[in-house]
């Protein structure tokens, strides 16, 4: 039986079967649902202890072990020391992104005559048009810049996820970067989160390929892709102004020089 004092884990029970037989893992009760609800509602970091016990069929405890754990809120990043973790905040399946995809289709139809979102199925110029439609759709939200939420000494920073951004119309550079990346991915494209000192902005591949490594620390890789016209970068904080797509692109390019 596995549980924790704070409810992060609740009701996990494993039937081990006869000695030497393969272990069969079974779940009983509503602990999984409760655990998910607890982490979804968690507003700040929480520490606790997980306890596992081994019991005989009659319920007699034969052995146990425990370990301390730290659970972070769903909107808490862990800092640039773990850059790959930022990808977990790209959430193309959330409702706000799905609604934005519909707005992207309208922007695309207004610009090109076709509302079809086809990812990389056609020409590079079509992908570029799709990126511009995404920019205009997000710009229509009227997002105002706002500093990141307070973290009270925790590593990294809290982020506003797309549903919150769309609802309250505020976001910082990391928030809007993750929003753009979520919409890019929803539309079948390959986004890139670009992190520089105290700032973040977004990029996207214009062809159906990715960089060799999931984390690229050499800015020359991005500059080369820009020169080859296979990659576009955008300054996402400009989306809260009347800046054009070209201006957002130029601003991002300057930051990579």
């Amino acid at each position: 039986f596995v549980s924790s004092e704070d409810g992060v884990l609740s009701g996990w029970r494993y039937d081990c079967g006869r000695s030497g037989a393969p272990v069969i893992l079974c779940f009983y009760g509503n602990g999984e649902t409760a655990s998910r609800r607890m982490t979804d509602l968690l507003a700040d970091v929480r520490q606790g202890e997980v306890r596992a016990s081994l019991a005989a069929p009659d319920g007699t405890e034969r052995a146990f072990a425990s370990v301390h754990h730290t659970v972070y809120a769903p909107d808490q990043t862990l800092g640039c020391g773990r850059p790959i973790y930022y990808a977990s905040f790209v959430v193309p399946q959330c409702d706000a992104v799905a609604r934005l995809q519909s707005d992207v289709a309208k922007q695309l139809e207004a610009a090109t005559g076709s509302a079809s979102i086809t990812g990389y199925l056609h020409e590079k110029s079509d992908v570029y048009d799709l990126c511009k439609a995404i920019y205009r759709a997000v710009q229509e939200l009227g997002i105002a810049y706002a500093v990141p939420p307070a973290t009270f000494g925790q590593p990294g920073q809290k982020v506003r996820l797309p549903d919150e951004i769309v609802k309250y119309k505020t976001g910082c550079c990391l928030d809007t970067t993750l929003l753009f990346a979520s919409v890019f991915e929803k539309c079948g494209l390959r986004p890139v989160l670009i992190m520089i000192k105290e700032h973040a902005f977004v990029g996207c591949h214009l062809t159906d390929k990715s960089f060799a490594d999931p984390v690229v620390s050499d800015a020359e890789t991005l500059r080369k892709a820009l020169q080859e016209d296979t990659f576009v970068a955008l300054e996402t904080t400009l989306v809260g102004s009347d800046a054009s797509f070209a201006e957002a692109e130029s601003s991002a390019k300057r930051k990579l020089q």
Side-chain angles (χ1 to χ4, degrees):
F1 187 85
V2 182
S3 64
S4 65
E5 60 189 17
D6 56 9
V8 174
L9 292 175
S10 174
W12 292 89
R13 190 168 70 207
Y14 307 113
D15 285 348
C16 298
R18 65 185 182 279
S19 176
V23 175
I24 301 173
L25 303 182
C26 301
F27 173 75
Y28 297 90
N30 63 354
E32 182 178 18
T33 301
S35 298
R36 286 177 178 170
R37 183 166 61 248
M38 185 269 178
T39 52
D40 286 344
L41 296 177
L42 188 62
D44 215 333
V45 65
R46 180 174 295 186
Q47 295 181 335
E49 183 179 72
V50 175
R51 188 178 191 278
S53 64
L54 178 65
D58 63 2
T60 303
E61 186 176 76
R62 298 296 180 83
F64 75 90
S66 63
V67 63
H68 291 283
H69 69 76
T70 301
V71 179
Y72 292 93
D75 58 356
Q76 178 72 47
T77 70
L78 297 178
C80 287
R82 305 172 180 88
I84 197 168
Y85 288 172
Y86 285 110
S88 66
F89 295 92
V90 178
V91 285
Q93 302 308 320
C94 75
D95 290 343
V97 174
R99 291 192 295 271
L100 265 171
Q101 188 181 38
S102 177
D103 295 336
V104 170
K106 294 174 184 177
Q107 292 287 347
L108 197 58
E109 183 176 29
T112 68
S114 172
S116 298
I117 297 175
T118 57
Y120 295 109
L121 293 180
H122 299 300
E123 301 298 322
K124 183 170 62 176
S125 59
D126 297 316
V127 178
Y128 192 71
D129 286 339
L130 178 54
C131 291
K132 289 192 288 186
I134 290 171
Y135 180 85
R136 288 191 295 268
V138 176
Q139 190 172 41
E140 287 291 319
L141 294 175
I143 300 169
Y145 182 85
V147 295
T151 57
F152 305 107
Q154 298 304 321
Q157 73 179 58
K158 286 189 176 244
V159 297
R160 300 174 181 91
L161 297 173
D163 287 331
E164 183 178 353
I165 296 174
V166 170
K167 181 177 182 180
Y168 296 109
K169 313 295 185 186
T170 57
C172 65
C173 62
L174 181 57
D175 301 333
T176 51
T177 293
L178 294 169
L179 173 62
F180 267 99
S182 298
V183 182
F184 280 137
E185 193 165 301
K186 183 71 172 179
C187 293
L189 303 181
R190 299 178 182 271
V192 174
L193 308 177
I194 305 173
M195 308 288 181
I196 59 177
K197 185 178 180 180
E198 298 182 347
H199 191 55
F201 52 105
V202 77
C204 185
H205 292 283
L206 296 177
T207 58
D208 191 9
K209 71 172 188 176
S210 298
F211 296 126
D213 298 311
V215 177
V216 177
S217 57
D218 184 7
E220 185 59 33
T221 301
L222 299 181
R223 289 192 285 266
K224 182 179 179 182
L226 288 170
Q227 292 169 358
E228 294 174 347
D229 199 26
T230 60
F231 186 79
V232 62
L234 297 172
E235 173 50 65
T236 62
T237 58
L238 289 180
V239 79
S241 69
D242 59 357
S244 66
F245 179 88
E247 289 172 318
E249 188 178 9
S250 295
S251 178
K253 284 182 177 179
R254 289 194 296 271
K255 291 178 174 64
L256 290 172
Q257 290 177 353

